C-alpha cells in the first residue's frame, strides 16, 4: 500500500491546552478519508496543523507526506508540494484579485517543479471552464479574493482553487458547513471530479450529509484529540443515527 | 512656546525684513506681506507640544532659510513626469513660473501672477478657524509667483495640471507654491497638482492652496506629493464648498523627509459634499503627517474621509481627521475610515479620528485601525504557495489599492501606482499588478 500521508502519535497544544493527544492516521494514495467528531474534538486543528498554520505547538509525534517530514516545511512549501487546505472560513482579501491569486499559486508550484509560467490566455480558459463546473458567476474574475462572497460562494471558490491547483492531498475543513443542498451537490461534484488513483482527500466534517455525495473509503471518529474509532461509510451512518455520545463514552 | 522655536520665529521675521524690498509687490502688496509676518510673529511657529502638531516633524525647519530661493538648475522637460491627456500643464520652479516648460498657450481659465502682473486676487492665506494658518501666513509674507484658476465654462470640464518643481537647497532658500482656485456655478474642474524635486538637494517647500467650489460645481483635485528624500514639504489647503457643490481630493503622500499637510474643508452650503482620499507611504526616517478638518456648516451636507497609510523601517505616518458638525447642519452624513499599517518593528502609525457634533439628526460613523498585516490573510496566501515576502507585499499593496483605485483618471492612477510600487522597494514583484 502506497501511503501518501502518515500521521504518527501526533500531540498538539494551543497555549496550555492540549488539542491533539496521540493522533495516528494513514491515508493511502487514491483514498478519501473522512474525519468526523464532536465539536472541540480537534478536527480543525488537525487540518490547520497539516497546512502549517502558526500558533500550534507540536509537542510530540511525526507527520510524513510522500515520505518527507511535513512538519519541517513552511506553509508555502507544503502548498507547492501538492498539499491543499480548503478553509472552513475563507478570508476576504479586498484588493487582491481572484485570478491573480490563482495564477500566482499555480506558477509558484510550477516554478518549484522547474516548469515555465502558465500562458495567460490558456490559464483564463481553464479558470472559466472550472468556474462553470462550480457554477461561479463571471464577475468573479474581476473581484477581490472572496470579496463580498456569500458563505456558499466562498466554499465553492475553495473547491475552484483546488480544481485548478490539482493537489496531491486535499484537506477540506468543514467545506460542507453552511451549504444548502444545491451548493453541497456542486461542491461534492467538484471533489468527485478530481478523485484519482494518485490523489487523496481528508474531509473534515461534523455531519454525515456530505458523505452521501462524496463516498469515503474510510471514516475516522476523533474524540478528545485522538481517533476513537475507524470504519467504512457504515460508521458515518451509525453516527447519524446514534450521535457521538456513545463513542465519547467508549473512549472515556 | 519653546526657546528654540522663539528664536526661529525671530530669525524668520529678520529674514523677512531684509528680503522685503526684493519681494514682488505686484504679486502681494507690501502691506499685506507686513500684516502676514506680523500675524505670524505674534503666534509663532507651530511646535510639537501643540495638539494638532504632535505627529509632524518640525525639526527640519530649523535648518531652512525662509527667504525665497533662486532657481538653481536648468530643467530638461524630459525630467518631468508624463503628461496626462487632456490636461494643460503649467510649471513652477522653486516657486517661480517657468513659461518655457509650460503649455505653449495660456489657458483661458488660468492666470499666472508673477512679477509685473497685477494680483487682483483676494487674501489667499485663508482664515483657517478650525485648522491652522500659521504656515500659510509665511507663504503670504514671502511668496514669489502664484497662479489663479477660474473655471467659468459650464459646457465643458476645465482640466489643468500645475507642477511645482523644487531644486534649491533649504539652506539657500525656500519655495512658496501658491494657488487660488475658483469654480463658478455649475462648472466642473479637474485639477492635478504635483510637488516634485529635481536634483538631490534638501528642499524646503511651503505651499498654500485655496479652493472655492461654486454652487453646483464639481472639483476633482489630484495631489501628488513626490518631493525628494531630504525635502521638507509644508502645506496649507483650504476649501469652501457652496450649495450642491462637490469637492473631491485625492492625495498621494509619498516623498519628503518631513511632509505635513494642514487641510480645512468647509461645507458651507446645503447639500455640499466632499470626499477626501489620502494614501501615505513612508520608509527610512520619513515623517508624513496630515491634519484634516471637515466642517459641516449647512444642512444635508455629506463627507467621506478615507486614509490608508503604510510606515516601514523607522518612518512615522500620522493622520488626524476631525469632523465638526455645526448646529445648522441637520441631516449631515459623515463617514471616516482611517487605517494605518505598520510594516516594520521600528515604524510608527498614528491614526486619530475626532468628531464634534453640535446638532441632532446626523449620521456619523468612523472606523480607525492601526496595526500589522492581517495574519489570516497572510496565512491564506501562504497556503496557496506564495512566497512570504510576496504575500506581505501583496497585502500592503491591496491595503493601499483600496483607496488608490478611487482615482478615476486611469493614466494618473497608473503613475501613482508605479510611484507606490517604487516606494515599496519592489517594483519587479508588483509588475503584474500594474
Amino acid at each position: 500500500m502506497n501511503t501518501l500521508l502518515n500521521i504518527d502519535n501526533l500531540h498538539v497544544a494551543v497555549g496550555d491546552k492540549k488539542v491533539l493527544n496521540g493522533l495516528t492516521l494513514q491515508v493511502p494514495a487514491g483514498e478519501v478519508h473522512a474525519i468526523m467528531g464532536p465539536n472541540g474534538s480537534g478536527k480543525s486543528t488537525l487540518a490547520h496543523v497539516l497546512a502549517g498554520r502558526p500558533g500550534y505547538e507540536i509537542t510530540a509525534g511525526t507527520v510524513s507526506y510522500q515520505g518527507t517530514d511535513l512538519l519541517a516545511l513552511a506553509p508555502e512549501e507544503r502548498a507547492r508540494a501538492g498539499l491543499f487546505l480548503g478553509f472552513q472560513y475563507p478570508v476576504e482579501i479586498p484588493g487582491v484579485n481572484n485570478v491573480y491569486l490563482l495564477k500566482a499559486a499555480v506558477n509558484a508550484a510550477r516554478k518549484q517543479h522547474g516548469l515555465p509560467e502558465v500562458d495567460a490566455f490558456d490559464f483564463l480558459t481553464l479558470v472559466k471552464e472550472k468556474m462553470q463546473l462550480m457554477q461561479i458567476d463571471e464577475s468573479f474574475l474581476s473581484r477581490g479574493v472572496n470579496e463580498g462572497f456569500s458563505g456558499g460562494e466562498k466554499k465553492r471558490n475553495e473547491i475552484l482553487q483546488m480544481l485548478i491547483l490539482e493537489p496531491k492531498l486535499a484537506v477540506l475543513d468543514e467545506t460542507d458547513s453552511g451549504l444548502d443542498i444545491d451548493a453541497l451537490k456542486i461542491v461534492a461534484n467538484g471533489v468527485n471530479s478530481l478523485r484519482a488513483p494518485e490523489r487523496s482527500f481528508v474531509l473534515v466534517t461534523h455531519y454525515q450529509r456530505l458523505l452521501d455525495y462524496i463516498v469515503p473509503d474510510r471514516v475516522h471518529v476523533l474524540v478528545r484529540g485522538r481517533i476513537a474509532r475507524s470504519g467504512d461509510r457504515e460508521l458515518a451512518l451509525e453516527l447519524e443515527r446514534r450521535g457521538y455520545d456513545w463513542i465519547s463514552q467508549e473512549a472515556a | 512656546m519653546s526657546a528654540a522655536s522663539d528664536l526661529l520665529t525671530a530669525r524668520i521675521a529678520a529674514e523677512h525684513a531684509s528680503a522685503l524690498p526684493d519681494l514682488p509687490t505686484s504679486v502681494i502688496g507690501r502691506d499685506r506681506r507686513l500684516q502676514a509676518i506680523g500675524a505670524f510673529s505674534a503666534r509663532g511657529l507651530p511646535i510639537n507640544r501643540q495638539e494638532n502638531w504632535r505627529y509632524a516633524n518640525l525639526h527640519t525647519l530649523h535648518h531652512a532659510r525662509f527667504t525665497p530661493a533662486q532657481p538653481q538648475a536648468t530643467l530638461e522637460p524630459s525630467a518631468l513626469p508624463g503628461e496626462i491627456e487632456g490636461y494643460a500643464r503649467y510649471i513652477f520652479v522653486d516657486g517661480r513660473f517657468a513659461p518655457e516648460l509650460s503649455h505653449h498657450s495660456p489657458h483661458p481659465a488660468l492666470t499666472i501672477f508673477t512679477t509685473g502682473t497685477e494680483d487682483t486676487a483676494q487674501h489667499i492665506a485663508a482664515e483657517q478657524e478650525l485648522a491652522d494658518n500659521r504656515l500659510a501666513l509665511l507663504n503670504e509674507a514671502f511668496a514669489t509667483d502664484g497662479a489663479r484658476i477660474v473655471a467659468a465654462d459650464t459646457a465643458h470640464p476645465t482640466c489643468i495640471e500645475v507642477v511645482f518643481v523644487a531644486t534649491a537647497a533649504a539652506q539657500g532658500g525656500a519655495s512658496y507654491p501658491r494657488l487660488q482656485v475658483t469654480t463658478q456655478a455649475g462648472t466642473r474642474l479637474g485639477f492635478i497638482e504635483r510637488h516634485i524635486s529635481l536634483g538631490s538637494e534638501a528642499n524646503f517647500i511651503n505651499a498654500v492652496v485655496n479652493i472655492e467650489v461654486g454652487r453646483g460645481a464639481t472639483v476633482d483635485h489630484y495631489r501628488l506629493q513626490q518631493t525628494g528624500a531630504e525635502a521638507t514639504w509644508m502645506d496649507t489647503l483650504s476649501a469652501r464648498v457652496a450649495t450642491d457643490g462637490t469637492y473631491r481630493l485625492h492625495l498621494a503622500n509619498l516623498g519628503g523627509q518631513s511632509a505635513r499637510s494642514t487641510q480645512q474643508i468647509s461645507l458651507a452650503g446645503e447639500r455640499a459634499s466632499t470626499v477626501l482620499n489620502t494614501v501615505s507611504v513612508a520608509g527610512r526616517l520619513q515623517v508624513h503627517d496630515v491634519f484634516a478638518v471637515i466642517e459641516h456648516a449647512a444642512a444635508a451636507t455629506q463627507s467621506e474621509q478615507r486614509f490608508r497609510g503604510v510606515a516601514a523601517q523607522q518612518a512615522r505616518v500620522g493622520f488626524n481627521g476631525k469632523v465638526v458638525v455645526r448646529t445648522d447642519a441637520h441631516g449631515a452624513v459623515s463617514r471616516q475610515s482611517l487605517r494605518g499599517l505598520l510594516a516594520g518593528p521600528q515604524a510608527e502609525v498614528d491614526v486619530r479620528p475626532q468628531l464634534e457634533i453640535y446638532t441632532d439628526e446626523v449620521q456619523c460613523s468612523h472606523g480607525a485601525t492601526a496595526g500589522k498585516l492581517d495574519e489570516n490573510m497572510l496565512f491564506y496566501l501562504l497556503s496557496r504557495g506564495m512566497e512570504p515576502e510576496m504575500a506581505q507585499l501583496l497585502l500592503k499593496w491591496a491595503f493601499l489599492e483600496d483607496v488608490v483605485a478611487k482615482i478615476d483618471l486611469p493614466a494618473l492612477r497608473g503613475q501613482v501606482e508605479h510611484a507606490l510600487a517604487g516606494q515599496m522597494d519592489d517594483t519587479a514583484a508588483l509588475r503584474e499588478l500594474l
Side-chain angles (χ1 to χ4, degrees):
Chain A
M1 186 171 72
N2 180 10
T3 302
L4 186 70
L5 178 71
N6 191 351
I7 304 173
D8 186 36
N9 190 34
L10 186 64
H11 288 69
V12 173
V14 179
D16 294 337
K17 193 167 179 274
K18 291 179 180 174
V19 186
L20 297 183
N21 297 297
L23 188 145
T24 295
L25 173 70
Q26 281 93 36
V27 181
E31 292 196 356
V32 175
H33 285 218
I35 309 286
M36 302 185 69
N39 289 327
S41 58
K43 302 188 300 291
S44 283
T45 297
L46 174 63
H48 288 155
V49 166
L50 291 176
R53 192 185 195 109
Y56 296 92
E57 192 192 351
I58 318 287
T59 52
T62 58
V63 179
S64 145
Y65 167 74
Q66 292 184 304
T68 63
D69 178 6
L70 185 71
L71 301 178
L73 301 179
E76 65 277 11
E77 293 169 327
R78 300 181 196 197
R80 284 180 232 145
L83 189 148
F84 178 87
L85 173 65
F87 284 73
Q88 184 181 3
Y89 303 110
V91 64
E92 294 192 24
I93 314 181
V96 177
N97 176 271
N98 274 304
V99 178
Y100 176 84
L101 172 63
L102 277 172
K103 205 158 104 193
V106 168
N107 283 332
R110 289 177 67 89
K111 192 176 168 192
Q112 177 94 347
H113 297 104
L115 296 168
E117 294 199 347
V118 287
D119 175 85
F121 183 79
D122 293 346
F123 184 71
L124 204 58
T125 309
L126 173 76
V127 171
K128 285 183 177 172
E129 181 193 312
K130 302 292 185 193
M131 276 168 61
Q132 243 172 8
L133 182 66
M134 294 313 294
Q135 299 185 22
I136 290 173
D137 190 80
E138 283 261 336
S139 68
F140 162 93
L141 294 170
S142 58
R143 287 160 75 180
V145 173
N146 291 316
E147 190 180 2
F149 287 20
S150 70
E153 284 174 324
K154 286 179 185 169
K155 297 299 178 72
R156 276 185 277 158
N157 186 27
E158 293 294 286
I159 303 303
L160 173 71
Q161 293 182 21
M162 183 186 77
L163 294 179
I164 286 162
L165 287 168
E166 299 185 331
K168 288 252 166 38
L169 173 65
V171 179
L172 304 182
D173 186 11
E174 306 220 13
T175 300
D176 54 332
S177 68
L179 293 186
D180 63 29
I181 196 70
D182 292 327
L184 188 72
K185 284 180 184 169
I186 294 167
V187 162
N189 195 18
V191 172
N192 287 329
S193 74
L194 213 58
R195 287 181 82 155
E198 72 282 0
R199 183 172 292 125
S200 305
F201 293 83
V202 173
L203 306 180
V204 172
T205 178
H206 189 74
Y207 299 106
Q208 191 281 142
R209 192 178 65 153
L210 177 69
L211 307 181
D212 286 341
Y213 301 97
I214 307 171
V215 178
D217 296 290
R218 299 286 290 164
V219 174
H220 309 278
V221 184
L222 203 55
V223 176
R224 289 187 287 277
R226 56 190 302 167
I227 289 177
R229 185 178 279 244
S230 297
D232 57 17
R233 70 176 299 210
E234 284 304 313
L235 176 58
L237 294 169
E238 192 176 2
L239 291 169
E240 177 87 344
R241 288 194 304 274
R242 299 176 61 188
Y244 286 113
D245 283 354
W246 60 282
I247 294 188
S248 300
Q249 280 156 16
E250 268 184 17
Chain B
M1 277 195 272
S2 73
S5 89
D6 285 351
L7 281 174
L8 182 53
T9 300
R11 197 249 287 170
I12 292 167
E15 272 194 52
H16 187 261
S18 52
L20 189 60
D22 298 325
L23 295 172
T25 51
S26 55
V27 175
I28 296 169
R30 182 186 153 88
D31 288 351
R32 266 171 53 195
R33 291 184 187 275
L34 286 170
Q35 275 170 22
I37 197 73
F40 167 79
S41 298
R43 293 166 61 195
L45 263 182
I47 54 172
N48 288 120
R49 279 206 306 277
Q50 289 159 347
E51 185 62 16
N52 295 317
W53 293 88
R54 271 162 57 187
Y55 309 132
N57 174 0
L58 298 168
H59 304 296
T60 56
L61 294 178
H62 291 265
H63 309 293
R65 184 160 180 251
F66 285 74
T67 303
Q70 294 299 322
Q72 302 293 306
T74 44
L75 289 187
E76 289 301 318
S78 62
L80 296 165
E83 293 200 49
I84 303 298
E85 197 185 341
Y87 280 71
R89 174 183 273 184
Y90 299 87
I91 297 199
F92 288 75
V93 179
D94 291 320
R96 291 166 209 268
F97 183 54
E100 70 286 1
L101 294 169
S102 299
H103 195 267
H104 47 83
S105 58
H107 195 287
L110 181 80
T111 308
I112 306 290
F113 42 101
T114 176
T115 315
T117 51
E118 184 84 8
D119 173 21
T120 55
Q122 56 211 345
H123 190 73
I124 79 167
E127 286 305 319
Q128 287 203 340
E129 186 196 339
L130 294 168
D132 196 322
N133 73 338
R134 283 178 282 175
L135 291 169
L137 289 169
L138 279 183
N139 180 296
E140 179 101 356
F142 283 104
T144 47
D145 297 351
R148 185 167 70 247
I149 297 169
V150 179
D153 185 348
T154 52
H156 309 94
T158 300
C159 299
I160 290 178
E161 174 177 5
V162 178
V163 184
F164 294 101
V165 185
T167 69
Q171 296 96 321
S175 125
Y176 294 97
R178 188 172 171 80
L179 280 169
Q180 163 106 43
V181 178
T182 305
T183 54
Q184 295 181 357
T187 57
R188 283 173 292 158
L189 172 69
F191 171 41
I192 302 170
E193 178 195 350
R194 298 186 205 246
H195 294 264
I196 62 171
S197 299
L198 290 178
S200 56
E201 299 291 358
N203 326 113
F204 172 41
I205 302 127
N206 182 16
V208 168
V209 179
N210 178 251
I211 296 165
E212 295 283 337
V213 181
R215 232 183 146 83
T218 299
V219 174
D220 282 291
H221 186 183
Y222 309 93
R223 304 188 92 193
L224 276 61
Q225 189 277 106
Q226 292 179 273
T227 59
E230 306 294 325
T232 297
W233 184 74
M234 296 284 145
D235 165 60
T236 311
L237 173 133
S238 48
R240 194 172 175 281
V241 189
T243 302
D244 293 313
T246 300
Y247 176 62
R248 287 187 285 260
L249 171 66
H250 301 268
L251 169 62
N253 215 358
L254 297 169
Q257 162 80 20
S258 164
R260 155 76 183 209
S261 180
T262 307
Q263 308 167 357
Q264 180 177 322
I265 319 299
S266 292
L267 301 173
E270 290 187 8
R271 295 175 302 279
S273 67
T274 188
V275 178
L276 304 185
N277 290 329
T278 305
V279 290
S280 180
V281 178
R284 300 176 284 108
L285 288 162
Q286 283 182 290
V287 178
H288 285 173
D289 175 36
V290 175
F291 176 42
V293 185
I294 297 174
E295 180 192 27
H296 289 259
T301 44
Q302 298 203 12
S303 70
E304 263 186 273
Q305 204 171 25
R306 298 187 194 90
F307 170 72
R308 299 292 179 270
V310 177
Q313 291 149 339
Q314 283 138 293
R316 201 165 79 215
V317 169
F319 190 95
N320 185 350
K322 183 171 178 175
V323 175
V324 178
V325 183
R326 299 287 190 206
T327 47
D328 292 337
H330 317 292
V333 178
S334 147
R335 281 187 288 269
Q336 270 183 307
S337 163
L338 315 179
R339 295 174 61 199
L341 183 62
L342 280 170
Q346 291 171 289
E348 185 181 324
V349 172
D350 302 288
V351 177
R352 185 171 172 214
Q354 295 182 75
L355 201 49
E356 285 178 16
I357 305 176
Y358 300 101
T359 186
D360 299 330
E361 294 173 58
V362 295
Q363 288 179 48
C364 296
S365 67
H366 64 92
T369 59
K372 295 181 184 168
L373 287 175
D374 184 299
E375 292 293 329
N376 290 321
M377 291 186 190
L378 197 56
F379 178 66
Y380 194 84
L381 296 180
L382 298 180
S383 81
R384 299 302 180 245
M386 205 173 276
E387 285 291 339
E389 294 74 20
M390 185 62 203
Q392 287 178 11
L393 191 63
L394 195 58
L395 289 178
K396 275 191 265 180
W397 181 258
F399 175 83
L400 295 167
E401 190 63 13
D402 197 21
V403 166
V404 175
K406 298 191 189 302
I407 299 176
D408 54 359
L409 285 179
L412 187 71
R413 185 172 71 234
Q415 290 182 354
V416 171
E417 288 174 340
H418 270 95
L420 286 172
Q423 181 84 338
M424 286 157 76
D425 287 338
D426 211 339
T427 322
L430 288 168
R431 72 187 188 282
E432 276 202 58
L433 297 167
L434 300 177

